[in-house]
């Protein structure tokens, strides 16, 4: 195991975050705070409770997930896309590092960033909304698991993308809509049929539901199913990454 | 001399079907400066990319210091430093962390003293805190060299090290390469500037269309393939070459008082003596003689030309 290499990549990626602190941390925190002000405080005060939880508190897990997913993907995809784009990837390819070490370095850094971001958003939420966390360990577990999974997913997108548009298209056109429709702002039991059933095909439903269970003990789907689905998605991403390095897809000519 | 790099039967066919390398065999000796000479698109960069692990071979094997570059990639790659042809860098990173990053990537513990020495040697020390985007092209290339040397490799690949580099920096680069060789580093450089190969290399390999045409000691190559040019300046100008001298294929220069004789230094025999004798017999008196060797450039052109026929 080339630990020095993992550390070098991790440090490099974290340094990039600190160079772009405004963009990578401050701006997601700010935009999520805006949701809390508008939906939590302003509109939320006129809305009834959902499953016994005030609307402002109800949307917190969903909002954290929204940022977590999009930031994990964009951090990890940019982290590997940019060296490919600028050509500096040659160095990583010619170094005595294994695929696993590369992934741990890049994905680890991206996941660290988004977990930090998620926790910062939770702290910020305290300013606007009163909430509590019933199962803090599970909350943290879901947070880390989702961050790692979606950072892996972002890493795959970063390798697949050969231009800037492709880099943006999955997060913007797929992940964001799925998150909005995945119960971030409502309980799926509020939906009429057939939408309630159709929604179950949206993987983000399981992420948000499980995460919300960790906060309030209420969930749209059973928490075990949520955990299972998250693991399945993690496994799919790991398999894809394994295949990418095995075949050299879009990395090694 | 033992080989530090040993390439056997290496073939590379890209997915598009283009074959960039065809059954290449090449031995690089420990401690030498080897120049891989060839026109653009000859396969120089492909060969380097495969040895360094950026590209995968289609067929054949490469050993670097005895380690297979695919099976024992860790051991093989940690011996090798690469300075690619393209200048590429993370624009916002500073020089110091860029070079330290490379060292870490190659699995070496931090060694600030060594990196400082390296940066001083490359006249980069006063730029260590500068961001890459603030540096000139020449400085960037030095940083790329520093990155390649950061893990103290035994083998250094320089892909077109002086492409687009001004004369002064080119001279500096040559000097640096010689110093590295003195420290025991084996250097393989690619170039399409013959001047560069002639100036620096111990041995030269000529590659064209994915095939190694020949590998020779530089001097031997020049001796072997070098034709010589003998210029004979006459006391009196003449208007045409006398019939009796036809066998020598002499060329009469425009001024009329110089004739040139091109001969093969390999099989020269007694032709010069005969020529001089005949000149005297024809009543032509010689004022001055000058002979010159052909440059690598001429050798290269004739080689490539030969292949085409």
């Amino acid at each position: 195991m080339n630990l020095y290499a993992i550390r070098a990549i991790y440090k490099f990626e974290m340094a990039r975050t600190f160079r772009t602190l405004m963009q990578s941390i401050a701006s997601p925190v700010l935009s999520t705070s805006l949701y809390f002000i508008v939906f939590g405080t302003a509109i939320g005060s006129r809305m009834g409770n959902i499953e016994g939880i005030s609307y402002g508190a109800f949307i917190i897990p969903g909002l954290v997930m929204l940022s977590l997913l999009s930031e994990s993907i964009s951090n990890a995809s940019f982290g590997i896309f940019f060296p490919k784009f600028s050509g500096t990837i040659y160095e990583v390819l010619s170094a005595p590092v294994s695929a696993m070490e590369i992934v741990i370095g890049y994905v680890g850094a991206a996941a660290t960033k988004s977990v930090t971001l998620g926790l910062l958003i939770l702290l910020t939420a305290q300013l606007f909304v009163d909430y509590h966390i019933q199962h803090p360990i599970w909350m943290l577990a879901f947070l880390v698991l989702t961050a790692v999974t979606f950072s892996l997913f972002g890493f795959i997108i970063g390798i697949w993308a050969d231009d800037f548009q492709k880099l943006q298209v999955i997060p913007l056109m797929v992940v964001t809509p799925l998150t909005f429709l995945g119960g971030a702002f409502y309980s799926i039991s509020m939906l009429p049929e057939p939408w309630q059933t159709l929604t179950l095909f949206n993987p983000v439903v399981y992420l948000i539901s499980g995460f919300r269970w960790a906060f309030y003990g209420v969930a749209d789907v059973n928490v075990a199913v949520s955990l299972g689905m998250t693991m399945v998605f993690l496994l799919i991403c790991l398999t894809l990454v394994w295949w990418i390095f095995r075949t050299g897809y879009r990395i090694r000519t | 001399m033992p080989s530090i790099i040993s390439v056997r039967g290496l073939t590379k066919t890209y997915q598009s079907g283009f074959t960039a390398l065809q059954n290449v065999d090449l031995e690089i000796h420990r401690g030498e400066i080897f120049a891989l000479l060839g026109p653009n698109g000859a396969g120089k960069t492909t060969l380097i990319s495969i040895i360094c692990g950026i590209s995968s071979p289609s067929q054949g094997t490469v050993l670097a210091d005895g380690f297979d570059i695919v099976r024992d990639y860790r051991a093989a790659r940690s011996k090798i430093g690469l300075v690619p042809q393209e200048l590429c860098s993370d624009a916002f990173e500073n020089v110091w962390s860029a070079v330290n990053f490379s060292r870490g990537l190659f699995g070496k513990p931090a060694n600030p003293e060594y990196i400082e020495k390296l940066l001083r040697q490359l006249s980069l020390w006063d730029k260590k805190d500068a961001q890459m985007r603030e540096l000139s092209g020449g400085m960037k290339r030095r940083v790329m060299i520093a990155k390649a040397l950061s893990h103290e490799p035994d083998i250094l690949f320089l892909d077109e090290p002086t492409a687009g580099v001004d004369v002064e920096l080119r001279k500096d680069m040559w000097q640096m390469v010689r110093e590295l060789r003195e420290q025991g580093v084996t250097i393989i450089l690619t170039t399409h500037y013959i001047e560069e190969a002639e100036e620096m290399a111990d041995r030269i390999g000529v590659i064209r269309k994915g095939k190694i045409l020949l590998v020779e000691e530089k001097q031997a190559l020049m001796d072997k393939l070098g034709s010589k040019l003998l210029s004979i300046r006459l006391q009196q100008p003449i208007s045409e070459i006398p019939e009796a001298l036809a066998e020598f294929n002499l060329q009469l220069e425009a001024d009329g008082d110089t004739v040139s004789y091109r001969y093969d230094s390999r099989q020269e025999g007694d032709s010069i003596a005969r020529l001089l004798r005949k000149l005297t017999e024809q009543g032509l008196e010689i004022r001055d003689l000058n002979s010159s060797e052909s440059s690598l450039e001429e050798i290269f052109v004739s080689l490539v030309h030969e292949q085409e026929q």
Side-chain angles (χ1 to χ4, degrees):
Chain A
M1 196 81 164
N2 185 347
L3 290 174
Y4 290 112
I6 297 178
R7 207 176 65 181
I9 295 174
Y10 187 86
K11 247 177 80 178
F12 176 86
E13 282 297 292
M14 292 311 279
R16 196 165 60 82
T17 311
F18 289 117
R19 278 200 304 262
T20 55
L21 214 54
M22 288 303 275
Q23 180 203 330
S24 49
I25 300 285
S27 102
V29 170
L30 177 73
S31 62
T32 317
S33 303
L34 292 176
Y35 280 110
F36 286 133
I37 294 170
V38 175
F39 292 107
T41 316
I43 300 177
S45 60
R46 306 231 173 157
M47 288 172 83
N49 291 358
I50 300 179
E51 308 192 25
I53 306 154
S54 78
Y55 188 67
F58 181 83
I59 60 171
I60 289 174
L63 282 177
V64 172
M65 273 293 162
L66 183 65
S67 296
L68 198 66
L69 299 192
S70 62
E71 288 303 311
S72 296
I73 292 177
S74 79
N75 280 331
S77 62
F78 196 77
I80 189 70
F81 174 81
F82 199 70
K84 261 187 1 162
F85 175 75
S86 68
T88 53
I89 188 95
Y90 85 87
E91 207 176 10
V92 176
L93 293 179
S94 65
V97 290
S98 68
M100 194 169 73
E101 289 151 7
I102 296 175
V103 172
I104 293 175
Y106 280 107
V107 172
T112 306
K113 252 181 267 184
S114 39
V115 167
T116 310
L117 182 70
L119 294 175
L120 274 175
I121 291 174
L122 280 180
L123 276 178
T124 318
Q126 288 280 12
L127 301 175
F128 306 101
V129 188
D130 194 25
Y131 71 91
H132 63 285
I133 303 171
Q134 263 186 26
H135 311 285
I137 304 287
W138 277 110
M139 188 282 287
L140 214 59
F142 270 112
L143 194 71
V144 172
L145 205 58
T146 311
V148 169
T149 304
F150 278 77
S151 297
L152 268 173
F153 187 50
F155 186 82
I156 295 166
I157 292 175
I159 284 180
W160 164 74
D162 45 18
D163 58 35
F164 279 95
Q165 184 173 298
K166 281 189 180 165
L167 200 60
Q168 300 286 346
V169 76
I170 302 264
L172 287 180
M173 306 293 282
V174 181
V175 176
T176 305
L178 286 183
T179 314
F180 272 85
L181 300 174
F185 297 102
Y186 51 81
S187 162
I188 61 170
S189 61
M190 293 157 75
L191 294 174
E193 284 294 355
W195 301 110
Q196 212 179 104
T197 310
L198 278 177
T199 298
L200 294 177
F201 289 97
N202 176 355
V204 182
V205 164
Y206 301 91
L207 301 173
I208 293 178
S209 169
F211 200 45
R212 188 174 287 134
W213 171 85
F215 278 76
Y216 310 123
V218 295
D220 289 333
V221 290
N222 188 306
V223 65
V225 178
S226 285
L227 191 63
M229 288 298 275
T230 315
M231 296 301 251
V232 166
F233 202 55
L234 177 65
L235 222 64
I236 293 174
C237 290
L238 282 174
T239 312
L240 270 173
V241 167
W242 173 81
W243 175 82
I244 282 171
F245 278 100
R246 216 191 129 74
T247 58
Y249 173 77
R250 295 221 171 155
I251 317 182
R252 269 199 177 88
T253 47
Chain B
M1 251 194 289
S3 291
I4 194 161
I5 287 185
S6 164
V7 178
R8 293 201 189 122
L10 191 67
T11 295
K12 175 69 184 178
T13 307
Y14 285 103
Q15 270 178 344
S16 60
F18 174 69
T19 300
L21 294 174
Q22 294 180 46
N23 201 19
V24 167
D25 293 309
L26 184 62
E27 303 288 324
I28 308 286
H29 301 162
R30 192 176 294 274
E32 72 175 341
I33 299 179
F34 185 89
L36 197 56
L37 188 64
N40 289 322
K44 304 187 291 285
T45 300
T46 303
L47 181 57
I48 288 191
S49 296
I50 290 175
I51 298 175
C52 294
I54 295 167
S55 202
S56 312
S58 305
Q59 258 170 35
T61 55
V62 180
L63 300 182
D65 207 9
F67 298 104
D68 186 285
I69 54 147
V70 177
R71 252 196 346 263
D72 294 322
Y73 71 94
R74 276 189 208 269
R77 290 185 198 169
S78 60
K79 306 272 178 193
I80 300 175
L82 164 67
V83 182
Q85 188 174 345
E86 300 284 331
L87 285 177
C88 53
S89 58
D90 190 303
F92 299 99
E93 216 190 2
N94 71 44
V95 172
W96 179 254
S97 55
V99 177
N100 278 287
F101 167 77
S102 304
R103 188 177 168 88
L105 202 56
F106 278 76
K108 286 273 171 89
N111 183 347
E113 292 79 29
Y114 172 73
I115 302 293
E116 175 174 346
K117 201 184 93 191
L118 187 60
L119 292 184
R120 285 189 190 280
Q121 202 180 349
L122 288 161
S123 319
L124 282 170
W125 183 244
D126 54 335
K127 299 275 183 204
K128 71 181 166 59
D129 298 316
Q131 287 190 342
M132 295 296 285
R133 61 178 172 157
E134 298 163 12
L135 301 180
S136 66
M139 281 292 174
K140 273 191 194 132
R141 198 169 284 277
R142 284 170 204 251
V143 176
M144 310 276 294
I145 295 171
K147 281 165 83 69
L149 293 171
S150 66
H151 63 283
E152 302 162 66
D154 298 330
I155 307 162
L156 181 66
F157 281 93
L158 294 163
D159 196 358
E160 304 275 352
T162 54
V165 157
D166 64 38
V167 178
E168 197 178 339
L169 184 57
R170 186 177 300 182
K171 293 261 150 70
D172 282 1
M173 202 84 80
W174 290 348
Q175 186 54 35
M176 190 207 70
V177 168
R178 285 193 199 96
E179 283 168 19
L180 282 172
R181 199 239 325 243
E182 274 160 35
Q183 292 163 27
V185 179
T186 305
I187 292 143
I188 298 104
L189 59 95
T190 71
T191 182
H192 57 268
Y193 297 125
I194 285 142
E195 188 195 8
E196 196 156 88
E198 196 170 353
E199 172 79 24
M200 297 214 287
D202 299 314
R203 288 196 311 146
I204 291 171
V206 178
I207 184 170
R208 184 174 150 78
K209 291 190 176 161
K211 287 182 181 157
I212 301 270
L213 302 186
L214 66 86
V215 175
E216 279 281 3
E217 299 282 331
K218 177 178 67 182
Q219 204 49 55
L221 179 67
M222 294 185 63
D223 289 348
K224 191 165 141 192
L225 292 167
S227 62
K228 284 189 151 190
L229 188 71
L230 180 66
S231 303
I232 304 161
R233 199 149 167 233
L234 304 171
Q235 288 289 3
Q236 304 293 329
I238 52 174
S239 55
E240 58 181 9
I241 309 273
E243 273 297 307
L245 297 173
E247 59 163 314
F248 297 100
N249 262 324
L250 295 180
Q251 198 104 53
L252 183 61
E253 304 299 331
D255 54 10
D257 68 356
T258 306
V259 290
S260 307
Y261 171 49
R262 187 173 284 281
Y263 62 101
D264 196 329
S265 58
R266 281 173 291 178
Q267 13 178 271
E268 185 266 315
D270 63 346
S271 69
I272 292 182
R274 277 192 297 117
L275 171 64
L276 294 181
R277 214 163 36 235
K278 286 217 167 171
L279 280 170
T280 324
E281 280 170 21
Q282 294 296 314
L284 300 172
E285 281 185 43
I286 298 163
R287 192 157 135 202
D288 197 9
L289 285 173
N290 179 35
S291 83
S292 58
E293 288 175 32
S294 61
S295 68
L296 254 177
E297 176 133 19
E298 288 163 301
I299 296 174
F300 182 67
V301 168
S302 79
L303 247 181
V304 167
H305 192 66
E306 230 169 74
Q307 288 287 320
E308 270 172 354
Q309 282 171 346

